[in-house]
Amino acid sequence: MKKLLIIFLMILTACATPKKCCSQVDLKKYFKFATFYGAASGGTSISDVDVFSVSNGLETATIQTPFDYNLAFGVRKIARFGYENKAQTFYDGTENSWSDGANIGKVKGLEFLFEVDYSRQQGNEYLDQHHFIRFVNNKYILKGEYLEDGFADIKYFETSQRYRYKVNDKLSFNAGLAQRLSEPYGYDPLAEWVLSNGNIHYTYLALQEGYNVNVAASEYFSPNGELVATSKEIWEEVVIPTVLSDYTERKRNELDLIIQHSVVLGFDYYHYTKTFWTHAWANVMPYHLDEGGDYSYHKYEGKQWLDYGGGVIFGTKITNRIGVFTEGKYNKYWNREWYDFKLGINYIIR
């Protein structure tokens, strides 16, 4: 994946740069107006929870959740649209610019974003990444993007090359090809363990994974010999879910990444005045090349499928006192969804 990203960046830079030798390329020009940032933030997580048990007399245990935190590192060079105001003096990594998902920016030329976030929320740790670099011209769009969203459990690297048709200064359509590198979504590691009645032969799977069971004594041991359950109920409700989760993650990680070639169609619309603005974009992938691999998504879907995504930003000042807004993004790749939205009304007392 890293090699593909490097190759794409080299091609993109070559296309966007006037034909000069390497010693004449002015890197300062490309990083002009870019911002490098690093920030840390944190706060109290959910409060401690007391758990009671009467199995061996009254016992009390306290479940403590460590504090939440976020570490962000990045660099961005993206021109702000008319409706976007930089509310803060510094970038702190918590910004959520909805327009970053659009196909084109406010200006032509080269723009980029590279950001990594390490975070912990309510005891769960996540690594989120969003990197993209794009070059926009009147006639074409080149873009490379890497997205890793821990909440949505989605991770892929995508490149696209599109022809752009400008209807006017507000509306443009584009069409071209996209290539996505990802794990083989659709693959179900537990499918081979499903019995004819639809249940999972979970105990046999656990034994294959190194667990040991002493049925007579109702004792269940982990692969390292630790006693993990003393009853069938605990075995089935606590240990087995962990076994299935670990097995599924391990089997998925053992597989090589696959590349998906697709046709992509899209549009962008942007209109702005001080009292009314609309920004909308969308992408649709209606056709995907079937290369017949063992883990091709065609094998699991059984036919062509539709991947799509888009966003809309709308705001209007109805009067000098009243304004309404709505913003949202939605994506669906390989039947995995991730989205954000917000809407509201403002009233100013004068």
Side-chain angles (χ1 to χ4, degrees):
M1 183 176 297
K2 292 182 179 179
K3 292 182 179 179
L4 286 178
L5 179 58
I6 293 173
I7 293 173
F8 178 78
L9 295 180
M10 291 174 62
I11 296 174
L12 184 58
T13 303
C15 293
T17 305
K19 299 303 179 285
K20 299 179 180 180
C21 67
C22 295
S23 62
Q24 294 178 300
V25 175
D26 186 3
L27 292 178
K28 185 177 179 180
K29 171 184 176 182
Y30 296 112
F31 283 95
K32 187 177 182 179
F33 302 121
T35 301
F36 290 82
Y37 55 92
S41 59
T44 304
S45 188
I46 57 176
S47 60
D48 298 343
V49 178
D50 292 331
V51 178
F52 302 95
S53 172
V54 293
S55 57
N56 294 310
L58 180 60
E59 296 180 352
T60 303
T62 301
I63 300 177
Q64 297 179 328
T65 303
F67 68 92
D68 294 345
Y69 69 82
N70 183 75
L71 303 175
F73 305 92
V75 54
R76 62 183 293 131
K77 179 186 176 181
I78 306 174
R80 291 194 298 272
F81 287 89
Y83 55 81
E84 294 181 306
N85 295 315
K86 192 175 187 304
Q88 303 177 138
T89 303
F90 299 102
Y91 283 110
D92 61 16
T94 63
E95 294 83 7
N96 187 6
S97 180
W98 303 79
S99 63
D100 288 350
N103 298 313
I104 61 176
K106 186 175 184 295
V107 297
K108 294 186 297 182
L110 185 70
E111 293 188 311
F112 53 82
L113 167 69
F114 297 94
E115 180 170 316
V116 178
D117 292 90
Y118 300 91
S119 59
R120 181 171 65 197
Q121 295 187 18
Q122 299 184 8
N124 296 316
E125 296 183 347
Y126 299 94
L127 170 62
D128 294 334
Q129 299 185 67
H130 188 201
H131 315 304
F132 77 77
I133 180 170
R134 68 185 173 204
F135 185 84
V136 178
N137 188 275
N138 285 331
K139 294 295 185 180
Y140 63 88
I141 304 171
L142 300 175
K143 185 176 182 179
E145 180 177 31
Y146 177 74
L147 177 69
E148 180 175 356
D149 190 321
F151 287 98
D153 189 26
I154 188 76
K155 180 169 61 175
Y156 65 88
F157 171 60
E158 177 182 308
T159 60
S160 62
Q161 311 81 36
R162 314 187 195 191
Y163 166 75
R164 181 188 181 200
Y165 174 73
K166 291 184 64 176
V167 178
N168 49 47
D169 291 337
K170 300 178 181 179
L171 176 65
S172 69
F173 294 93
N174 58 79
L177 301 175
Q179 307 80 36
R180 291 174 293 172
L181 188 67
S182 70
E183 68 173 82
Y185 290 113
Y187 166 64
D188 182 9
L190 297 177
E192 60 183 287
W193 297 95
V194 176
L195 303 173
S196 58
N197 60 4
N199 294 327
I200 295 287
H201 199 333
Y202 52 83
T203 298
Y204 185 65
L205 172 57
L207 293 176
Q208 294 295 312
E209 289 297 289
Y211 286 80
N212 290 294
V213 178
N214 186 335
V215 179
S218 294
E219 293 180 336
Y220 303 82
F221 299 90
S222 68
N224 60 12
E226 179 185 358
L227 181 64
V228 293
T230 56
S231 68
K232 181 180 179 182
E233 289 74 21
I234 296 178
W235 171 249
E236 293 179 346
E237 296 178 12
V238 179
V239 180
I240 288 300
T242 301
V243 173
L244 298 180
S245 177
D246 292 345
Y247 174 79
T248 301
E249 182 177 2
R250 180 173 62 81
K251 295 296 287 186
R252 287 171 57 182
N253 291 336
E254 288 177 354
L255 298 180
D256 293 331
L257 301 178
I258 61 174
I259 188 167
Q260 180 71 66
H261 301 273
S262 307
V263 172
V264 60
L265 309 172
F267 83 90
D268 288 81
Y269 178 81
Y270 174 65
H271 170 72
Y272 173 77
T273 67
K274 292 184 178 180
T275 59
F276 175 83
W277 56 89
T278 301
H279 187 191
W281 64 92
N283 296 291
V284 178
M285 297 183 188
Y287 178 81
H288 316 275
L289 180 64
D290 185 3
E291 298 187 67
D294 292 337
Y295 301 106
S296 168
Y297 196 73
H298 291 82
K299 179 178 180 180
Y300 307 108
E301 190 68 16
K303 57 182 180 180
Q304 289 289 337
W305 69 97
L306 195 66
D307 286 339
Y308 53 90
V312 62
I313 298 172
F314 169 81
T316 181
K317 296 180 180 179
I318 301 174
T319 67
N320 290 332
R321 296 186 176 187
I322 301 176
V324 297
F325 68 91
T326 180
E327 301 178 357
K329 294 187 298 182
Y330 180 86
N331 292 277
K332 186 177 182 181
Y333 278 12
W334 303 291
N335 284 321
R336 291 172 178 263
E337 301 173 294
W338 65 102
Y339 52 87
D340 299 283
F341 71 90
K342 61 181 177 181
L343 52 89
I345 182 171
N346 288 182
Y347 179 78
I348 302 175
I349 299 176
R350 297 181 183 274

